[in-house]
């Protein structure tokens, strides 16, 4: 039997509504499509419901969020999109599944360089792309990204895949700060200093430092918090105890940061409630809850990070607008291939 794509899309939307609530209501609800794990955002949503009485429904997707909303079309139940990384936020914007929002409350809470100029997305928390350094083998307590290309680190650096979005964000910031030619030269120098081919995730880079395979690595700051507090996998506490966190360029422009963020869905059926949720998420109360859950830094000035995050040291975030970083991601990706970064060191 032939089933039309239109019917499949209709059934998909209906199934989503049923998954959210057997008795969907026009008021009193807000539907969230999230790339973030539900357990990470639930305390935040519980606080919102307690304050407003509005029920939150979460659909978690580990991939294909934009495609899902595109397929649902005008009948999509999505009200708010929650995700991580500037690439995911710009993907949603470019995929036509967001709508701009000009909101005085949100704009007051979230600094300009952490939001889209047209209001299509807003940052909520930041994570630094920091350097993990061996406590035993690295004496210095400060570093710059530029220094990672210094031959003195030859054979002593390990990283994950150069095309991973976390690295592409950093590499794009280097293009923005130094221009394409200098960024290529720097990336070549970094590649020549690698101890092995890029591999694994950020946590495994800490493991490699613990094992003595390298002395330095690039990693997101929040992974250190996740490892330190990982009672289910205590070996990760050992990895974390072997490293110290260095915040690159603390003496000049600051450390490259990326964000978790939110966007208003294009066809939000509960738009008023969606805006209420977004206003709440930008508030100091929510920023503190969220940052403590995910070991990240609040974007709202004056809101303190968790005690665990404070233990890493102070971060001075690079104020380069994330929109400018996003604009250089394609060029950064091309440079990774051009210098053969993922081939690792050649001698």
């Amino acid at each position: 039997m032939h089933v039309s794509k239109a019917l499949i899309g209709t059934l998909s939307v209906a199934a989503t509504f049923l998954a959210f609530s057997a008795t969907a209501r026009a008021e009193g609800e807000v539907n969230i499509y999230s790339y973030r794990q539900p357990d990470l955002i639930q305390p935040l949503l519980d606080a919102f419901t307690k304050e407003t009485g509005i029920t939150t429904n979460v659909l978690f997707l580990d991939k294909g969020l934009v495609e899902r909303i595109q397929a649902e079309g005008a009948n999509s139940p999505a009200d708010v999109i929650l995700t991580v990384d500037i690439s995911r936020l710009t993907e949603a914007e470019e995929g036509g599944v967001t709508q701009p929002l000009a909101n005085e409350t949100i704009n007051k809470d979230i600094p300009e360089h952490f939001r889209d100029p047209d209001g299509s997305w807003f940052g909520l928390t930041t994570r630094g792309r920091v350097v993990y350094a061996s406590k035993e083998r690295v004496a210095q307590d400060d570093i710059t990204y530029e220094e990672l290309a210094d031959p003195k680190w030859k054979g002593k650096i390990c990283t994950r895949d150069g095309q991973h979005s976390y690295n592409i964000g950093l590499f794009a910031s280097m293009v923005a700060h130094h221009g394409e030619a200098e960024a290529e030269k720097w990336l070549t120098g970094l590649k020549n200093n690698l101890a092995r081919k890029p591999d694994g995730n950020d946590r495994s880079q800490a493991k490699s430092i613990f094992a003595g395979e390298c002395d330095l690595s690039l990693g997101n700051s929040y992974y250190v918090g996740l490892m330190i507090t990982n009672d289910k996998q205590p070996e990760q506490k050992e990895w974390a105890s072997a490293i110290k966190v260095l915040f690159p360029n603390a003496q000049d422009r600051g450390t490259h940061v990326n964000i978790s963020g939110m966007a208003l869905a294009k066809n939000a059926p509960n738009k008023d409630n969606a805006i209420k949720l977004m206003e709440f998420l930008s508030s100091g109360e929510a920023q503190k809850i969220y940052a403590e859950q995910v070991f990240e830094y609040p974007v709202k000035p004056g809101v303190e990070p968790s005690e665990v995050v404070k233990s890493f040291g102070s971060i001075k975030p690079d104020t380069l607008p994330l929109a400018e970083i996003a604009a250089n991601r394609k060029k950064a990706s091309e440079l990774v291939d051009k210098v053969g970064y993922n081939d690792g060191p050649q001698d």
Side-chain angles (χ1 to χ4, degrees):
M1 182 180 75
H2 176 72
V3 181
S4 71
K5 290 184 178 179
L7 178 57
I8 291 173
T10 301
L11 291 172
S12 174
V13 172
T16 299
F17 271 117
L18 289 172
F20 278 145
S21 172
T23 56
R25 296 164 295 177
E27 295 195 17
E29 292 188 331
V30 61
N31 301 324
I32 301 153
Y33 278 33
S34 175
Y35 267 131
R36 298 222 84 159
Q37 295 283 352
D39 59 322
L40 292 178
I41 60 175
Q42 197 57 51
L44 200 60
L45 302 181
D46 289 344
F48 170 72
T49 299
K50 183 178 180 180
E51 182 173 304
T52 65
I54 298 170
T55 301
T56 60
N57 306 307
V58 181
L59 178 65
F60 167 69
L61 300 100
D62 58 357
K63 59 182 178 180
L65 185 151
V66 171
E67 291 80 4
R68 171 70 176 254
I69 299 175
Q70 287 173 335
E72 291 168 345
N75 293 322
S76 174
D79 292 311
V80 175
I81 298 168
L82 291 181
T83 186
V84 295
D85 200 271
I86 184 62
S87 64
R88 289 277 176 89
L89 289 165
T90 54
E91 177 189 45
E93 179 186 6
E94 292 168 359
V97 300
T98 67
Q99 59 175 298
L101 176 63
N103 183 280
E104 185 178 344
T105 298
I106 297 173
N107 288 348
K108 183 178 177 181
D109 286 339
I110 299 174
E112 187 176 5
H113 56 282
F114 287 138
R115 49 185 162 89
D116 177 63
D118 297 323
S120 292
W121 51 260
F122 304 86
L124 291 173
T125 58
T126 67
R127 69 281 293 277
R129 192 68 180 153
V130 299
V131 170
Y132 300 165
S134 168
K135 287 181 179 177
E136 289 186 3
R137 300 182 300 276
V138 177
Q140 64 191 69
D141 291 320
D142 61 80
I143 201 166
T144 65
Y145 294 117
E146 288 79 5
E147 186 187 327
L148 296 178
D150 190 316
K152 76 176 185 179
W153 297 115
K154 187 171 179 63
K156 295 183 178 181
I157 300 176
C158 50
T159 75
R160 71 192 303 163
D161 191 311
Q163 290 288 3
H164 191 277
S165 62
Y166 298 160
N167 283 335
I168 290 296
L170 170 60
F171 300 162
S173 77
M174 295 297 284
V175 174
H177 280 298
H178 297 295
E180 183 181 343
E182 284 300 311
E184 179 181 344
K185 189 184 301 183
W186 172 80
L187 196 57
T188 300
L190 175 58
K191 173 202 168 182
N192 291 339
N193 285 342
L194 294 176
R196 53 166 169 74
K197 286 186 177 182
D199 187 43
N201 56 27
D202 281 6
R203 296 191 210 210
S204 66
Q205 310 311 316
K207 180 182 179 181
S208 293
I209 292 174
F210 170 75
E213 296 169 6
C214 52
D215 293 349
L216 299 177
S217 179
L218 293 168
N220 280 351
S221 54
Y222 68 89
Y223 281 116
V224 182
L226 293 173
M227 290 187 287
I228 288 173
T229 58
N230 194 336
D231 293 326
K232 293 182 179 179
Q233 296 173 291
E235 68 274 12
Q236 292 195 11
K237 293 185 178 184
E238 290 188 291
W239 306 346
S241 68
I243 66 173
K244 56 185 175 181
V245 175
L246 303 185
F247 295 98
N249 298 85
Q251 307 306 317
D252 47 74
R253 69 176 179 274
T255 300
H256 166 68
V257 295
N258 214 312
I259 57 172
S260 73
M262 62 181 177
L264 180 62
K266 181 179 181 180
N267 297 297
N270 303 295
K271 185 173 180 179
D272 288 345
N273 288 344
I275 294 173
K276 288 178 182 177
L277 174 60
M278 293 175 73
E279 288 178 339
F280 174 78
L281 292 176
S282 75
S283 71
E285 174 193 355
Q287 291 265 300
K288 188 169 181 61
I289 296 171
Y290 197 14
E292 287 186 351
Q293 280 293 116
V294 297
F295 300 106
E296 294 178 345
Y297 298 89
V299 298
K300 183 175 181 178
V303 181
E304 295 288 320
S306 70
E307 292 303 315
V308 171
V309 173
K310 285 182 183 178
S311 73
F312 306 159
S314 299
I315 186 171
K316 175 187 174 184
D318 186 350
T319 58
L320 182 72
L322 287 176
E324 189 171 343
I325 292 174
N328 283 289
R329 291 180 65 87
K330 184 175 184 293
K331 181 56 64 179
S333 176
E334 291 170 351
L335 288 179
V336 168
D337 287 340
K338 184 176 180 180
V339 306
Y341 185 85
N342 285 338
D343 295 333
Q346 297 303 299
D347 53 7

